Amino acid sequence: MEINGEFLEESVRELRQYFRSGSTRSVTWRKNQLTALLDLVHKNEDAISESLYQDLGKHPVEAFRDEIGAIGKSATYSLSCVEKWMAPKKSDIPLLFFPAKGEVLAEALGVVLIFSSWNFPIMLALDPLIGAIAAGNVVVIKPSEQAPACSSFLANTIPRYLDSNAIRVIEGGAAVSQQLLLQKWDKIFFTGSPRVARFVMSAAAKNLTPVTLELGGKCPAILDSLTNPSDFKLAVKRIVGGKWGPCSGQACIGIDYVLVEEKVSSHLVELLKKIVRRFYGDNPLESKVISRIVNKQNFTRLCNLLKDPLVAASIVHGGSVEEKHLFIEPTILLDPPLDADVMTEEIFGPLLPIITVNKIGESIEFINSRPKPLAIYAFTKDETLKRRILTETSSGSVTFNDTMVQFLCDTLPFGGVGQSGFGRYHGKYSFDTFSHEKAVMHRSLCLEIEPRYPPWSKFKLEFLRLAYKLNYFGLLLHILGLKRYK
Amino acid sequence: MSSSTNADEKKKESFNAEAASLLVNNLRATFASGTTRSYEWRASQLKALIKLCDAHEQQIIDALYSDLAKPPLETVAYEIAMFKNSCKAALKELKRWMTSEKVKTSIATFPSTAEIVSEPLGVVLVISAWNYPFLLSLEPVIGAIAAGNALVLKPSEIAPATSSLLAKLLGEYLDNSCIRVVEGAVDETSALLQQKWDKIFYTGNGRVGRIVMAAAAKHLTPVVLELGGKSPVVVDSNIDLKVATRRIIAGKWGCNNGQACVSPDYIITTKDYAPKLVDSLKAELEKFYGKNPLESKDLSRIVNSNHFGRLTKFLDDEKVSGKIVFGGEKDESKLRISPTILLDIPRNSLIMREEIFGPLLPIMTVDKLEESFDVINSGTKPLAAYLFTINNRLKEQFVMNISAGGLVVNDTALHLAVNTLPFGGVGESGVGAYHGKFSFDAFSHKKAVLYRSFLGDAPVRYPPYTNIKMRLLKALVGGGLLGIIRALFGLS
């Protein structure tokens, strides 16, 4: 079927009609869909793993840890909480308005569009979907065309499990995305690059459509000189896991570069080499534990980062590339030039620059002179440094003494700030991001406050002054004629 | 004499993109120095705002009278008092708002602790509207200051007296290194919108709202857009008609003569009930504003001749000729239009297609009241919707089926004054919300922080990957203690 403007307009019209019918409102529908989604993931684990291997060379354990397992956990959590989230929240109303009742009711926004990215192509499509469903919306998912096997999987499998009157997958590239953006949506959820995000938000502005933008940035890892050698080893282990573990560095919250004091940098390099060898073997390409680069374009981009002679000179480990398999081995750079592309752009690949500083506190200024990242990682036991990092830097999130795990925490909002995006999701935040929080105030027609109405007089003015201050005693005196005017 | 006028003009002319860029850079440097972060600074600025109100009440009243002929009581009650109240509430809650929120963590990240830390976004822009030019400028400013930001306020040029008073008073009372006012019109606003802000808060109409959001998109700046819409009032029969009528009047003509984003825009009632409602409105209107409402001092005037012309066009529309059942008097020289009621107007008339924002109140009639929901839902989502009824089932249906920024049952506009309720729109009526803690949140970034320790490292996370690791990982991510034990013993 040709995906052109007419087809999309018709699809959106159908979805909006279905939404208007109220079918997606009930807690039953939402729970059924979430259960069906869990079913989809559990029954198709192998197919999902296979698609992820095809698109990115992801190892099944990585696929489970970062995508399949994460979605299962997210859907289960939402299933158990959705009813609670849907319940109206009471608000206190001042006595002045007695009798009155106030509450905030979450209502679905309507027809929402989810753009997902190619690096976690299953998770980044289904995790927002969970929120959209829990909040009672109808949804179009546009998976990334750069992960075609996963895109196909979603397009073929979702209609078999979920209500296709309400949830649709539209495949395609930039042309289809552009066509989608011409439609009127009640919310757009975008995961991807800042460049495309600008385009999405500009299109959304035409219809005043609210957006959530989950972008990226250069996520730094600050490695303090830890006195306990086993702590230091553990930190380095976690850094290795946080760099090459998720999609070979192609992750929005993956570590981009490390900041470390000059005096421990050589020890760091030695440890990194050892651990990389332990995890990925002597021939990482053959060990098939690390993902490959998603496509030729990104492969070339990453190779070019290494072509700069000063950057090439800074390589202390790795550097070899294998074009046929789009594979780049874990590569460590020691103090590449700060104005080289590798240090001015988000790397999104398996190159790890180590930047040395004299004192670790200088890391803060270093980070602050660059755009706000999605995550900052800091390995330290120094409480003062922790405090400084927390109060003097700004990022989507901060994780101390580990990497990546913050995304497993359903109670923490997941989102960026500044160049790394705005809006957030995970857990209840997913539900909120796809809801309108409607304020509702109930009053009764008895018990009237006369001074609300003209004709105005000094008495009424004074009454209102006192009323605003919630000065009930003063009001009483005033009404009884016992208060003097100013 | 002439050289100083030239200098003034040069000063005005020179607020272009370059000047705007310089301003933002200055503010960014001040923000980076940390001045706005401390509790003391934030509290001092909020206290200064309260002092400003107390010391200059008469000047504020005069400015609003000059801009809108706003009755002094409306200024005091709805602009100054409400604002002071918000300031005081913010001062009282500030420490609590600034405290980070501890959150629970699950077994998947054990052992760990987590919290959410509120931090300021940085340098923010507040663009305000002309109808409540004092309140709508300073209420967002409370949120921006409380959250620890540096800011620029751009008041509306359509309320010039208030705009220059704000520039003067904020310059005198607040910390100029962090808080600035830029006066001007389209050119100055465009120059400001070209800059990179950390947040833009806009109050106004949908047309300009789109321009603001498009400009924000270039820098990926998040926005709050407080817009408007046609706020409907559904009136059931069997109610205390007198009380309901007075509340409708208070929300319509009592709020800047209908020029308010949450003013009742139009009424829907049954054909049978309409005559009673019209009679009640006429009677109460006379009690409030006398026999000659065009002369009443208790009503604001129309803000300017543009809007006067816009409102007159509604009345000139031939589809509504003969439908005026009350009022309809105009005085162009004084920019006054008397409270006007129109009955039985057709759905496709001009007055039913656009937000009125003025003293004209159309009444649409339906056979059964339930039809009103379709009427409302066939239009764009308004900022507010109102219902007068004693029928609980109708109340429930209204609350469940009408989508609007906020709903009030058995009153109008009052929810604005309740700062525990989020105030904002949905769809065409806007994006985001504020008031009370929602203002603080609107100007904050909620940073997620996870604390892990060096104790306990799950080897399952790392390669080489084995089957047992896969089993353990499943159990760990799945989150059940039992599952983990089973996996450890190879039982899953």
Side-chain angles (χ1 to χ4, degrees):
Chain A
M1 188 178 307
E2 199 199 323
I3 299 189
N4 57 16
E6 243 174 73
F7 169 78
L8 292 175
E9 228 174 277
E10 185 55 37
S11 296
V12 174
R13 203 189 344 260
E14 284 170 13
L15 286 163
R16 199 172 285 289
Q17 220 166 333
Y18 192 67
F19 177 75
R20 285 231 167 102
S21 76
S23 307
T24 64
R25 270 281 188 63
S26 70
V27 66
T28 314
W29 182 87
R30 303 183 201 198
K31 281 188 160 174
N32 283 344
Q33 295 305 294
L34 290 172
T35 307
L37 187 61
L38 271 170
D39 215 23
L40 184 160
V41 171
H42 287 152
K43 296 214 167 90
N44 292 280
E45 250 186 64
D46 289 339
I48 296 174
S49 275
E50 178 56 41
S51 306
L52 284 166
Y53 185 77
Q54 256 185 60
D55 283 335
L56 293 152
K58 259 188 212 195
H59 189 282
V61 171
E62 196 186 314
F64 180 83
R65 182 196 67 205
D66 296 346
E67 305 218 38
I68 301 169
I71 287 294
K73 184 165 117 12
S74 185
T76 306
Y77 182 74
S78 300
L79 198 52
S80 66
C81 296
V82 65
E83 220 163 331
K84 188 168 56 120
W85 294 341
M86 284 170 70
K89 291 199 295 265
K90 294 260 171 290
S91 296
D92 285 329
I93 307 271
L95 191 61
L96 181 67
F97 300 109
F98 181 84
K101 192 176 76 157
E103 61 187 9
V104 178
L105 194 59
E107 65 174 26
L109 287 167
V111 187
V112 313
L113 173 62
I114 297 174
F115 281 108
S116 80
S117 169
W118 52 259
N119 54 343
F120 293 85
I122 300 294
M123 214 242 318
L124 296 177
L126 298 184
D127 209 0
L129 177 64
I130 290 171
I133 290 174
N137 298 278
V138 295
V139 190
V140 167
I141 303 175
K142 158 70 185 70
S144 170
E145 71 282 12
Q146 318 237 44
C150 290
S151 174
S152 246
F153 169 82
L154 290 169
N156 293 331
T157 321
I158 284 181
R160 288 193 350 243
Y161 289 80
L162 301 180
D163 182 352
S164 35
N165 290 315
I167 301 159
R168 300 208 181 150
V169 179
I170 307 250
E171 293 191 86
V176 169
S177 297
Q178 275 170 21
Q179 290 282 7
L180 281 167
L181 287 171
L182 291 176
Q183 308 306 317
K184 181 175 179 339
W185 305 93
D186 298 304
K187 173 95 188 194
I188 300 178
F189 187 103
F190 172 83
T191 307
S193 73
R195 188 188 63 85
V196 180
R198 282 186 187 89
F199 192 68
V200 171
M201 190 173 167
S202 300
K206 298 201 173 81
N207 290 312
L208 296 170
T209 299
V211 301
T212 292
L213 305 176
E214 295 272 333
L215 312 178
K218 289 183 81 63
C219 300
I222 301 171
L223 179 57
D224 197 4
S225 315
L226 300 158
T227 45
N228 183 336
S230 60
D231 286 346
F232 193 80
K233 228 198 280 179
L234 183 53
V236 179
K237 201 166 124 190
R238 288 179 176 175
I239 288 173
V240 172
K243 175 69 184 188
W244 294 285
C247 209
S248 190
Q250 300 165 103
C252 53
I253 48 168
I255 296 179
D256 189 280
Y257 64 100
V258 174
L259 287 154
V260 73
E261 275 180 359
E262 215 278 314
K263 65 182 198 251
V264 294
S265 61
S266 45
H267 182 39
L268 170 62
V269 173
E270 286 317 304
L271 265 177
L272 280 168
K273 287 183 186 179
K274 216 162 94 182
I275 295 173
V276 163
R277 215 167 283 131
R278 174 152 46 107
F279 284 1
Y280 308 120
D282 287 313
N283 191 338
L285 167 57
E286 275 177 24
S287 67
K288 294 200 176 189
V289 171
I290 307 184
S291 305
R292 63 151 210 270
I293 307 307
V294 65
N295 57 24
K296 188 85 191 302
Q297 194 191 354
N298 275 289
F299 180 84
T300 310
R301 179 182 65 81
L302 288 162
C303 291
N304 286 340
L305 292 179
L306 295 174
K307 286 209 171 97
D308 179 332
L310 287 172
V311 174
S314 72
I315 298 178
V316 291
H317 179 89
S320 48
V321 306
E322 216 281 11
E323 190 166 344
K324 184 158 142 242
H325 293 105
L326 293 177
F327 191 81
I328 297 177
E329 69 165 319
T331 300
I332 304 170
L333 312 163
L334 182 57
D335 278 323
L338 296 179
D339 58 356
D341 286 344
V342 76
M343 278 313 290
T344 58
E345 293 173 13
E346 185 177 3
I347 296 170
F348 228 68
L351 320 178
L352 180 67
I354 299 172
I355 307 294
T356 59
V357 291
N358 284 323
K359 295 225 128 257
I360 200 66
E362 290 162 30
S363 308
I364 292 179
E365 206 188 301
F366 188 94
I367 294 170
N368 283 344
S369 61
R370 289 161 173 77
K372 300 177 184 182
L374 191 51
I376 291 178
Y377 301 104
F379 292 86
T380 180
K381 280 179 147 169
D382 180 349
E383 293 299 320
T384 312
L385 183 61
K386 282 188 191 175
R387 195 106 295 277
R388 279 196 66 203
I389 292 170
L390 218 48
T391 54
E392 293 176 36
T393 65
S394 182
S395 56
S397 64
V398 179
T399 299
F400 289 106
N401 299 328
D402 209 336
T403 60
M404 305 292 296
V405 287
Q406 74 273 24
F407 100 107
L408 280 178
C409 207
D410 289 308
T411 49
L412 283 175
F414 186 84
V417 64
Q419 285 287 101
S420 47
F422 58 80
R424 60 222 184 138
Y425 71 132
H426 283 187
K428 181 168 192 290
Y429 299 105
S430 293
F431 177 87
D432 291 342
T433 230
F434 288 102
S435 301
H436 164 54
E437 306 215 303
K438 186 165 73 181
V440 182
M441 187 174 178
H442 290 265
R443 291 258 296 150
S444 114
L445 288 167
C446 57
L447 279 193
E448 192 49 314
I449 303 177
E450 274 306 313
R452 279 177 71 179
Y453 308 114
W456 302 131
S457 63
K458 256 205 173 122
F459 175 88
K460 289 185 177 180
L461 178 56
E462 190 55 30
F463 183 99
L464 286 169
R465 266 190 221 276
L466 291 164
Y468 268 107
K469 290 189 192 156
L470 297 181
N471 182 349
Y472 298 113
F473 186 63
L475 273 173
L476 188 60
L477 292 178
H478 182 58
I479 294 170
L480 294 173
L482 295 172
K483 224 180 189 295
R484 254 174 289 156
Y485 299 130
K486 277 212 191 80
Chain B
M1 182 64 143
S2 69
S3 62
S4 70
T5 342
N6 278 342
D8 281 338
E9 282 205 16
K10 268 218 162 79
K11 220 176 163 187
K12 269 204 176 132
E13 267 174 44
S14 68
F15 195 84
N16 52 13
E18 209 182 297
S21 170
L22 198 60
L23 172 61
V24 174
N25 285 338
N26 283 340
L27 288 171
R28 228 170 253 300
T30 316
F31 178 76
S33 75
T35 310
T36 62
R37 306 296 288 255
S38 70
Y39 167 81
E40 287 70 31
W41 182 87
R42 304 182 202 196
S44 73
Q45 299 303 292
L46 293 175
K47 289 191 184 127
L49 281 168
I50 297 176
K51 250 177 77 181
L52 179 164
C53 286
D54 287 338
H56 298 271
E57 192 177 279
Q58 192 54 49
Q59 281 176 278
I60 300 170
I61 293 174
D62 292 341
L64 281 155
Y65 191 79
S66 162
D67 285 333
L68 294 150
K70 200 172 267 207
L73 185 137
E74 265 192 62
T75 300
V76 171
Y78 302 144
E79 299 231 27
I80 302 174
M82 207 149 110
F83 170 67
K84 268 170 61 178
N85 210 27
S86 286
C87 258
K88 290 188 181 151
L91 262 168
K92 191 160 144 230
E93 298 293 312
L94 186 58
K95 273 219 169 91
R96 196 172 61 89
W97 291 348
M98 285 174 71
T99 311
S100 64
E101 184 195 333
K102 300 266 175 290
V103 295
K104 282 209 298 242
T105 53
S106 72
I107 202 166
T109 55
F110 183 84
S112 62
T113 54
E115 60 180 0
I116 300 172
V117 172
S118 293
E119 59 178 32
L121 288 164
V123 183
V124 307
L125 174 64
V126 175
I127 301 177
S128 99
W130 55 259
N131 57 337
Y132 283 80
F134 186 79
L135 182 67
L136 296 177
S137 295
L138 296 185
E139 179 89 38
V141 166
I142 295 175
I145 290 174
N149 298 279
L151 71 112
V152 169
L153 168 66
K154 159 68 188 69
S156 172
E157 70 280 13
I158 298 182
T162 311
S163 174
S164 61
L165 183 64
L166 282 168
K168 174 163 161 287
L169 292 179
L170 262 60
E172 273 171 37
Y173 282 78
L174 300 184
D175 182 350
N176 290 331
S177 70
C178 311
I179 302 170
R180 304 284 284 276
V181 178
V182 172
E183 293 193 80
V186 176
D187 290 339
E188 288 76 9
T189 310
S190 303
L192 287 168
L193 286 173
Q194 278 177 48
Q195 309 312 315
K196 177 174 173 5
W197 302 94
D198 298 303
K199 184 103 184 192
I200 300 178
F201 188 107
Y202 168 77
T203 308
N205 66 55
R207 188 186 63 84
V208 178
R210 284 168 169 78
I211 295 173
V212 170
M213 190 169 166
K218 298 203 172 75
H219 297 286
L220 297 172
T221 299
V223 300
V224 171
L225 305 173
E226 295 271 332
L227 312 176
K230 291 183 78 61
S231 301
V233 188
V234 178
V235 181
D236 195 8
S237 36
N238 280 338
I239 54 172
D240 185 334
L241 187 52
K242 183 160 169 214
V243 173
T245 307
R246 301 171 89 199
R247 290 178 182 181
I248 292 172
I249 297 175
K252 177 78 174 185
W253 295 282
C255 285
N256 207 24
N257 205 9
Q259 300 165 104
C261 50
V262 290
S263 264
D265 187 279
Y266 67 102
I267 291 182
I268 309 181
T269 190
T270 55
K271 286 193 163 60
D272 291 334
Y273 201 64
K276 286 208 196 79
L277 178 57
V278 172
D279 285 340
S280 179
L281 280 165
K282 286 181 182 175
E284 294 302 320
L285 276 167
E286 194 177 305
K287 284 202 207 128
F288 283 17
Y289 303 117
K291 284 199 193 296
N292 202 350
L294 211 54
E295 312 277 315
S296 170
K297 292 236 170 334
D298 291 336
L299 284 166
S300 299
R301 66 154 208 261
I302 307 306
V303 68
N304 61 21
S305 47
N306 268 352
H307 283 271
F308 186 90
R310 183 181 64 79
L311 290 162
T312 317
K313 258 221 307 256
F314 287 139
L315 295 176
D316 292 341
D317 180 10
E318 59 178 17
K319 293 201 182 80
V320 305
S321 73
K323 306 284 186 184
I324 299 176
V325 294
F326 183 82
E329 290 135 36
K330 307 174 266 188
D331 182 340
E332 189 160 357
S333 64
K334 298 208 180 99
L335 290 176
R336 288 200 172 263
I337 299 178
S338 67
T340 302
I341 303 173
L342 304 101
L343 180 59
D344 256 333
I345 35 84
R347 269 201 224 189
N348 62 356
S349 50
L350 195 61
I351 202 174
M352 282 308 291
R353 294 206 306 267
E354 294 173 17
E355 184 176 4
I356 297 168
F357 226 71
L360 319 177
L361 181 67
I363 300 178
M364 239 178 95
T365 55
V366 290
D367 292 317
K368 293 171 80 135
L369 206 60
E370 280 74 14
E371 293 168 47
S372 61
F373 291 0
D374 286 329
V375 173
I376 299 172
N377 286 335
S378 68
T380 59
K381 297 179 183 184
L383 189 54
Y386 307 109
L387 169 67
F388 284 90
T389 185
I390 56 171
N391 181 334
N392 283 328
R393 208 179 71 89
L394 193 64
K395 285 183 195 176
E396 239 176 73
Q397 283 180 323
F398 182 73
V399 170
M400 290 309 294
N401 292 308
I402 300 294
S403 182
L407 303 177
V408 185
V409 175
N410 289 334
D411 213 323
T412 61
L414 219 58
H415 60 307
L416 261 174
V418 179
N419 66 9
T420 50
L421 288 173
F423 183 75
V426 62
E428 281 290 325
S429 50
V431 169
Y434 73 131
H435 283 187
K437 182 168 193 289
F438 303 101
S439 293
F440 177 85
D441 291 344
F443 288 99
S444 299
H445 165 54
K446 302 289 180 174
K447 185 160 74 178
V449 183
L450 184 66
Y451 297 88
R452 292 263 295 155
S453 82
F454 291 102
L455 303 163
D457 196 31
V460 297
R461 289 170 58 177
Y462 310 109
Y465 297 131
T466 60
N467 279 337
I468 172 87
K469 280 190 183 179
M470 176 64 133
R471 278 207 304 274
L472 273 170
L473 197 62
K474 287 198 178 184
L476 199 69
V477 172
L481 191 56
L482 217 54
I484 295 174
I485 294 173
R486 292 220 301 269
L488 277 170
F489 287 102
L491 293 171
S492 52

